[in-house]
Amino acid sequence: MSSELQKKLDYVSPCRASRSLLSGEILENHSLFDELVAACFLTSDKNHHRACWVLEFVCYEELLWMQPHVDFFCSNLKHLKEESAIRPIAKVIQLLIKSHYKKAENCILLSEENLQNCIEASFDWLINDVKVATKAYSIRTLYVLGNHYEWIHPELKIILNKDFSNHSAAYKAVAKEVLKKIK
């Protein structure tokens, strides 16, 4: 990672304004984007989770910038272990999957292998001990994927029904919403 991006990431805090500030700089300087994506998966770097926070914000604005990186991105999902990195990446996956299945021009194109990596990561995060936001993004992602892979909705239904009583109100709200759609 360049010292320029490293220095910028040092000053990113969890507050929305801070993440937004650096994402704005990257949106103005596309040349930093490749480095940002790579930084998200440098799990030995103390700032990799901050890179993930910024990537999420950039993807809200310029998701198509991810197209050249989807193979790298999807194949490295399994290496993320830190909760503060996983949550924003789960949201990016949700954006990628929704875009992939849109019937419009300028959508993200994912290979079968990319899709399988997203399915695996989403199920892992759903059944493992991660915070509710990550689980909510994973549930919604798996719901969309289940419209194209017939085995996903039955599996998702089992997990949501089994875990329902053990979770927060936020989890229950998302689970209830998706279970209604599945039935």
Side-chain angles (χ1 to χ4, degrees):
M1 182 178 351
S2 76
S3 60
E4 179 188 1
L5 183 60
Q6 183 68 51
K7 283 179 193 164
K8 291 178 185 296
L9 288 171
D10 279 337
Y11 292 99
V12 173
S13 74
C15 84
R16 187 170 194 81
S18 175
R19 293 179 285 158
S20 187
L21 189 65
L22 183 51
S23 70
E25 285 185 46
I26 289 171
L27 288 165
E28 289 175 15
N29 185 0
H30 186 188
S31 64
L32 288 173
F33 185 73
D34 296 353
E35 209 176 325
L36 178 68
V37 174
C40 291
F41 297 97
L42 289 174
T43 56
S44 60
D45 186 273
K46 66 181 169 84
N47 286 328
H48 90 278
H49 64 285
R50 293 176 179 178
C52 296
W53 298 345
V54 174
L55 180 67
E56 175 189 6
F57 276 47
V58 173
C59 286
Y60 285 133
E61 301 297 322
E62 291 292 349
L63 186 62
L64 288 177
W65 287 6
M66 283 295 293
Q67 188 62 67
H69 304 280
V70 293
D71 290 341
F72 171 80
F73 179 88
C74 294
S75 67
N76 280 287
L77 294 171
K78 61 186 168 275
H79 300 299
L80 296 175
K81 303 294 178 222
E82 193 177 322
E83 177 72 40
S84 56
I86 293 172
R87 190 213 53 78
I89 295 301
K91 181 60 182 182
V92 173
I93 291 172
Q94 184 181 353
L95 295 171
L96 291 171
I97 295 297
K98 283 183 174 180
S99 177
H100 175 76
Y101 286 113
K102 271 189 181 160
K103 302 290 186 231
E105 286 184 40
N106 296 329
C107 290
I108 292 291
L109 300 173
L110 299 172
S111 69
E112 185 59 34
E113 186 176 349
N114 297 151
L115 291 166
Q116 292 302 320
N117 286 327
C118 290
I119 291 168
E120 185 179 324
S122 295
F123 269 119
D124 282 349
W125 298 333
L126 181 57
I127 61 176
N128 288 318
D129 187 24
V130 296
K131 291 185 178 165
V132 70
T134 302
K135 289 183 181 289
Y137 295 143
S138 297
I139 291 167
R140 289 190 170 117
T141 296
L142 289 166
Y143 170 73
V144 172
L145 285 160
N147 293 328
H148 304 278
Y149 293 87
E150 63 184 48
W151 66 270
I152 292 179
H153 282 169
E155 289 296 318
L156 182 57
K157 193 174 176 180
I158 290 167
I159 293 166
L160 295 179
N161 282 322
K162 181 177 75 82
D163 292 349
F164 192 83
S165 62
N166 302 328
H167 284 286
S168 69
Y171 177 95
K172 289 177 181 174
V174 174
K176 202 180 289 186
E177 166 199 320
V178 169
L179 283 169
K180 249 185 227 175
K181 290 178 184 177
I182 290 174
K183 289 179 180 179

